Amino acid sequence: MSSTPRPSEPEAVRERYARRAAQDWRYHPLNPAALATWQERQRACAALFRTLGWLDLAERRLLEVGCGSGANLLECLRMGFRAEHLAGIELLEDRLAQARARLPGAVQLLAGDAVAWGPKLAPGQYDVVMQATVFSSLLDEAFQARLAETMWRWVKPGGGVLWYDFTVDNPRNPDVRGVPVERVRALFPEGRLRVRRLTLAPPLARAAVRVHPALYACFNALPWLRTHVLAWIEKPQS
């Protein structure tokens, strides 16, 4: 009796994303809840770079794993990174095509599975290796560990992994799984973590802004209503 082979995790991710709406209004920048979430995260990233003493980002090099349509890389340009120092890897061809259309040609964009790119990129060449809600879409813990190892290899000493993801499961979406801070520590055992809790629980955020956009900040003032973390996982100099 034969059984159907289990798809690889990258193939499974493709299938999960194919089930999602191509343009989900919940995450559209014109949606006040999505906009508030985005702006909060950008303020937190700016505060992190200031804390690190990185007041001039022009010479810093950044790679985003799962760059999607390029929105985060576009924001990195606005913050001061130079296009030729930015790179992104994206598994989904349609999203990568969108990124190519919106980003300067000097931004390096790579197609495919980031783990497969691991040995093809020189180690220790990036100040920042970034991921935003990628690991919560990976349900295979062994693949999570391989991706974390690959990302860590690309980080130069003194740099770090910039991590943004949610920590709790979404009972309405079996295609994602929350990544607690303890799991982040396990994935990067050599890293020094700085963790900041962000992002009002999205269902609550959407309900609040329907009443008034200012209510996002009011509810988000309560830490236990935040579902995501922004983490800086620093690679020691030695």
Side-chain angles (χ1 to χ4, degrees):
M1 182 177 179
S2 62
S3 59
T4 303
R6 180 181 177 182
S8 68
E9 188 62 9
E11 291 170 344
V13 170
R14 291 178 188 273
E15 293 174 0
R16 292 170 201 142
Y17 272 87
R19 292 194 287 267
R20 302 181 187 182
Q23 182 61 63
D24 193 328
W25 170 250
R26 291 176 299 174
Y27 308 111
H28 195 284
L30 295 183
N31 181 336
L35 180 61
T37 296
W38 180 272
Q39 291 174 334
E40 178 194 9
R41 176 155 58 101
Q42 293 310 311
R43 288 194 297 270
C45 287
L48 171 64
F49 291 141
R50 290 195 302 271
T51 300
L52 294 173
W54 294 6
L55 303 183
D56 182 1
L57 299 173
E59 298 305 317
R60 300 288 177 179
R61 298 177 61 87
L62 179 146
L63 168 69
E64 182 179 12
V65 171
C67 67
S69 60
N72 291 329
L73 292 174
L74 192 61
E75 191 60 35
C76 288
L77 288 169
R78 295 192 181 104
M79 295 180 72
F81 287 90
R82 290 165 56 184
E84 59 267 33
H85 291 165
L86 292 177
I89 302 176
E90 175 54 40
L91 179 67
L92 306 177
E93 292 83 356
D94 58 336
R95 298 194 176 203
L96 187 65
Q98 294 171 17
R100 291 190 190 281
R102 76 194 305 187
L103 291 166
V107 177
Q108 182 184 26
L109 295 175
L110 306 173
D113 169 16
V115 170
W117 275 103
K120 302 175 186 178
L121 299 179
Q125 65 171 306
Y126 292 101
D127 298 283
V128 183
V129 177
M130 176 182 180
Q131 80 86 21
T133 63
V134 169
F135 276 73
S136 53
S137 296
L138 302 175
L139 306 187
D140 185 325
E141 292 191 353
F143 188 86
Q144 280 188 344
R146 290 198 299 274
L147 179 56
E149 182 180 357
T150 298
M151 293 169 63
W152 194 245
R153 177 177 178 271
W154 291 332
V155 176
K156 66 173 58 174
V161 171
L162 182 57
W163 172 288
Y164 174 78
D165 222 322
F166 55 87
T167 61
V168 294
D169 291 344
N170 181 347
R172 297 182 179 180
N173 187 353
D175 288 342
V176 296
R177 182 183 299 155
V179 186
V181 174
E182 293 77 11
R183 175 61 176 163
V184 181
R185 294 185 190 277
L187 288 169
F188 300 95
E190 299 175 9
R192 299 170 179 167
L193 263 68
R194 307 183 191 202
V195 177
R196 179 174 175 180
R197 187 163 292 279
L198 296 178
T199 309
L200 180 63
L204 179 56
R206 290 190 285 270
V209 300
R210 280 197 292 269
V211 179
H212 195 283
L215 288 178
Y216 181 95
C218 295
F219 284 101
N220 199 38
L222 303 174
W224 57 88
L225 297 181
R226 304 173 194 157
T227 53
H228 294 54
V229 295
L230 182 79
W232 176 249
I233 309 163
E234 184 176 353
K235 192 170 195 175
Q237 290 282 0
S238 59

